[in-house]
Amino acid sequence: MKKTIIVLLVALIACTFAFAQGATEAPAAASNEPMTITMLYAATATEVGPIPADWEGYAIIREKLGINLVLQQLPSASADQDLVVQTMAAADELPDFITVPSKKVYDDLVAKGFFADVTDDFAKMPERSKVMFGAGSKAYTTYNGRQYGFATPSSYVGNEGLLIRKDWLDKLGLAVPTTLDELYDVMYAFTYNDPDGNGKDDTYGYGAFVESYMNYEAYPGRRFEPLMGAFGVEGTFNMSADNFGLKVKDPAYYDFMVFMKKCLDAGVIDPNWQAYKKDDFRAAWKQGKFGIFREQNSAYANTNNYKPFDDNFPEGGFIVVDAPIGPNGKQSVGPAVEGFRIFAINADCSPEKHAKIVEMFEWMSYGEGYMLCGYGIEGKTYVLNEKGWPVPSAELGDYSYDKSIGQTYVQLRNSSFNYVDPVETNLRYPGYITATSQKYMSAGEVLIEMQSKTWTPAAGMNFLPSPSTDVETFYRQGIAEFLNGTKELTEANWKAWVDQLYALGADKWEKDAYEYAKNGNFLQ
């Protein structure tokens, strides 16, 4: 029996998010009439508004699949999304097909029995399964050995890379470094041999800022992972079943710290790395402050992001290189973690409706359904280029899928895009000619090149629990003190610090993380 809708839900639907789109829910249909399915979705671009009532997809889905689709859009803020789904569940008013905003909400509602078991449905979606449902995906939604949701990719894996100023290498007559020692020599030359030729002592070898995520890229963080990878200590945890644990206790982590201290003492790392914010860091490399750094493909190569560097250094340029090989032959750009978006089926759905939802979800992932959800309607929101790819066009005006009106017709992209197809990547990041240097750039091609480098498989590490505030503070402050020289970096001092970290609560953090990884099938 449906519960009475509480006042909070009424207010939330009226004021925050909900709009039913498409046909109105009808009474139970006869067998030859379309089946009504309600769907709660996360918009691709919330700022432009919901899918319009005149979206051709409603008629196409009704004709092709026999489904009368009714859509409701989640709000933009993640906290509001969680609240909406939790409130609807409390009122027993969840739609038939639900985009679940967070893993926390998913875990809670699965435990309470709101979502249907979909373990046997993956075999019914061969096209979607080929590109979206790997071991990490299925592990993400596993509960007591069964799946109660479809975890589809929500971001690109390996979308960062190690960049080096190729023009600086050429000016100084240096080869592309492949080992850690060679990289250090290049860093030193970039710092002290005037690579930009301006006669000033104003450049550094390596640049970074503190971007750390304690559960998978702990302090000093993501920007230093290629250096950590040379010692095999990239990522917060060792995810192996036989040797699971914090990498900071690995003896090789001390070796990494010694190398970092060497770099800092030699002045080959921009000393502002602890003070820089993300925008400061990105402004710095565009101003030619340093010549080696780890960066995201779009932040580096997209039109607006690359333009300041191109204007400042029209003869300059970067290459993407693999992480340096360390003393024991190890290398890694960093841990390859995955991001997922969960879709779930309401446990109250009849077997017939459940099957229809699976059919629709598969249809959305390839062919006509993929094109409809991802790009819209040919001649209205996209045109085909010489390769037969759907592309935006100025001739379509604001209805082009990259414009304000056109974007409203492709709000279900999150249900279709797979983040692995090269065509999809190139469409998302089209190539262009830079305004100043007239060189060709493509963030899509850069992404594919970054993904081809050496990464450490680490599915699920980004979902592991974070430590207590005390442990996190002690962890960050301790490493900073060693690197800054306020605490002498010796083997004895390092061991004492690690022991104190565990005594403070890192042992509990490690045990909690192990249990989560084990239950989620993330152990390697």
Side-chain angles (χ1 to χ4, degrees):
M1 178 181 295
K2 300 293 184 184
K3 301 180 182 70
T4 302
I5 301 178
I6 58 178
V7 173
L8 174 60
L9 179 60
V10 174
L12 201 55
I13 291 176
C15 302
T16 306
F17 88 104
F19 4 148
Q21 300 156 243
T24 303
E25 177 86 52
S31 59
N32 62 338
E33 293 182 357
M35 176 182 291
T36 295
I37 291 175
T38 57
M39 178 179 178
L40 183 65
Y41 72 96
T44 305
T46 55
E47 66 275 11
V48 301
I51 295 177
D54 66 348
W55 180 48
E56 290 89 343
Y58 290 124
I60 294 172
I61 291 172
R62 188 179 298 113
E63 177 186 351
K64 299 286 185 179
L65 304 177
I67 293 173
N68 177 43
L69 185 62
V70 178
L71 295 172
Q72 293 172 291
Q73 180 179 306
L74 282 165
S76 57
S78 57
D80 292 341
Q81 292 179 354
D82 283 353
L83 180 60
V84 163
V85 174
Q86 289 171 319
T87 304
M88 296 178 84
D92 205 11
E93 291 292 337
L94 283 172
D96 301 317
F97 194 36
I98 308 112
T99 302
V100 188
S102 70
K103 183 68 160 57
K104 180 180 179 181
V105 171
Y106 171 80
D107 289 341
D108 178 58
L109 297 185
V110 167
K112 294 176 180 177
F114 282 97
F115 298 149
D117 187 330
V118 298
T119 308
D120 298 330
D121 293 320
F122 293 93
K124 302 170 186 175
M125 295 184 289
E127 297 298 328
R128 184 176 286 272
S129 294
K130 280 191 297 188
V131 293
M132 296 193 196
F133 299 138
S137 165
K138 291 182 179 179
Y140 191 56
T141 56
T142 296
Y143 180 80
N144 289 338
R146 306 288 291 179
Q147 281 88 40
Y148 293 85
F150 306 113
T152 66
S154 63
S155 61
Y156 288 100
V157 177
N159 67 339
E160 298 213 352
L162 189 64
L163 296 170
I164 293 185
R165 284 285 296 264
K166 180 63 165 60
D167 55 315
W168 286 10
L169 288 174
D170 292 343
K171 182 179 185 300
L172 299 178
L174 299 171
V176 176
T178 59
T179 68
L180 192 64
D181 289 341
E182 291 172 356
L183 184 72
Y184 178 83
D185 290 342
V186 170
M187 291 163 64
Y188 195 93
F190 281 5
T191 304
Y192 295 107
N193 294 355
D194 192 23
D196 57 1
N198 66 358
K200 300 178 181 179
D201 183 19
D202 60 353
T203 59
Y204 296 96
Y206 199 94
F209 71 102
V210 177
E211 183 180 14
S212 64
Y213 306 90
M214 286 300 293
N215 56 340
Y216 68 103
E217 288 180 314
Y219 186 91
R222 173 173 295 177
R223 303 299 154 180
F224 291 107
E225 292 284 8
L227 305 184
M228 295 179 182
F231 299 92
V233 293
E234 69 286 356
T236 304
F237 286 93
N238 182 331
M239 298 292 286
S240 69
D242 296 333
N243 194 29
F244 182 91
L246 289 167
K247 286 194 174 180
V248 74
K249 71 179 180 183
D250 188 322
Y253 202 101
Y254 174 76
D255 298 333
F256 158 70
M257 291 290 290
V258 170
F259 177 78
M260 273 287 289
K261 192 73 170 64
K262 172 186 174 180
C263 292
L264 292 168
D265 290 347
V268 300
I269 295 177
D270 185 336
N272 295 303
W273 69 273
Q274 289 175 301
Y276 279 149
K277 302 300 182 185
K278 183 182 293 186
D279 289 344
D280 303 323
F281 161 78
R282 287 177 172 159
W285 69 254
K286 294 171 188 178
Q287 294 163 5
K289 297 293 186 183
F290 42 79
I292 307 170
F293 53 100
R294 176 176 149 162
E295 183 59 291
Q296 195 256 3
N297 72 300
S298 178
Y300 156 55
N302 258 3
T303 309
N304 292 335
N305 296 328
Y306 189 75
K307 185 178 186 303
F309 177 85
D310 194 53
D311 291 343
N312 291 332
F313 307 101
E315 302 302 320
F318 298 91
I319 54 174
V320 180
V321 300
D322 211 337
I325 300 171
N328 295 316
K330 296 181 179 181
Q331 67 178 153
S332 177
V333 180
V337 297
E338 299 175 275
F340 296 114
R341 179 174 291 105
I342 302 176
F343 295 85
I345 298 176
N346 194 321
D348 288 342
C349 285
S350 67
E352 294 77 17
K353 180 172 285 190
H354 184 122
K356 270 293 182 185
I357 292 171
V358 172
E359 180 186 358
M360 178 181 71
F361 201 41
E362 168 74 346
W363 180 82
M364 287 177 168
S365 69
Y366 74 102
E368 181 183 26
Y370 173 87
M371 294 294 289
L372 172 70
C373 296
Y375 305 100
I377 300 294
E378 183 180 359
K380 178 179 180 179
T381 58
Y382 72 85
V383 297
L384 296 177
N385 66 9
E386 66 280 0
K387 297 180 180 180
W389 297 353
V391 294
S393 172
E395 296 178 358
L396 302 175
D398 287 340
Y399 280 85
S400 181
Y401 71 73
D402 61 337
K403 302 300 182 183
S404 57
I405 296 177
Q407 282 184 318
T408 64
Y409 291 95
V410 293
Q411 292 284 41
L412 288 184
R413 277 186 163 190
N414 290 335
S415 307
S416 301
F417 276 7
N418 55 58
Y419 296 92
V420 297
D421 182 72
V423 173
E424 182 179 289
T425 299
N426 282 298
L427 287 172
R428 191 181 186 97
Y429 300 112
Y432 64 96
I433 302 297
T434 62
T436 302
S437 66
Q438 294 293 294
K439 71 179 64 168
Y440 174 78
M441 292 290 290
S442 167
E445 293 179 13
V446 167
L447 169 62
I448 293 170
E449 186 174 8
M450 287 177 170
Q451 291 174 323
S452 74
K453 304 306 181 184
T454 305
W455 290 83
T456 301
M461 192 190 299
N462 49 325
F463 309 128
L464 299 182
S466 296
S468 67
T469 301
D470 288 345
V471 170
E472 178 173 354
T473 300
F474 186 81
Y475 188 114
R476 293 170 62 96
Q477 288 182 349
I479 289 180
E481 287 172 355
F482 281 121
L483 295 179
N484 293 337
T486 56
K487 181 180 291 187
E488 185 180 6
L489 182 61
T490 65
E491 288 191 59
N493 286 348
W494 178 257
K495 182 180 183 305
W497 176 79
V498 172
D499 289 344
Q500 192 173 353
L501 177 71
Y502 272 79
L504 191 63
D507 55 343
K508 182 181 185 304
W509 175 27
E510 193 173 81
K511 290 175 183 176
D512 290 345
Y514 174 79
E515 288 302 318
Y516 190 96
K518 180 181 178 181
N519 293 335
N521 296 321
F522 293 127
L523 296 176
Q524 298 172 2

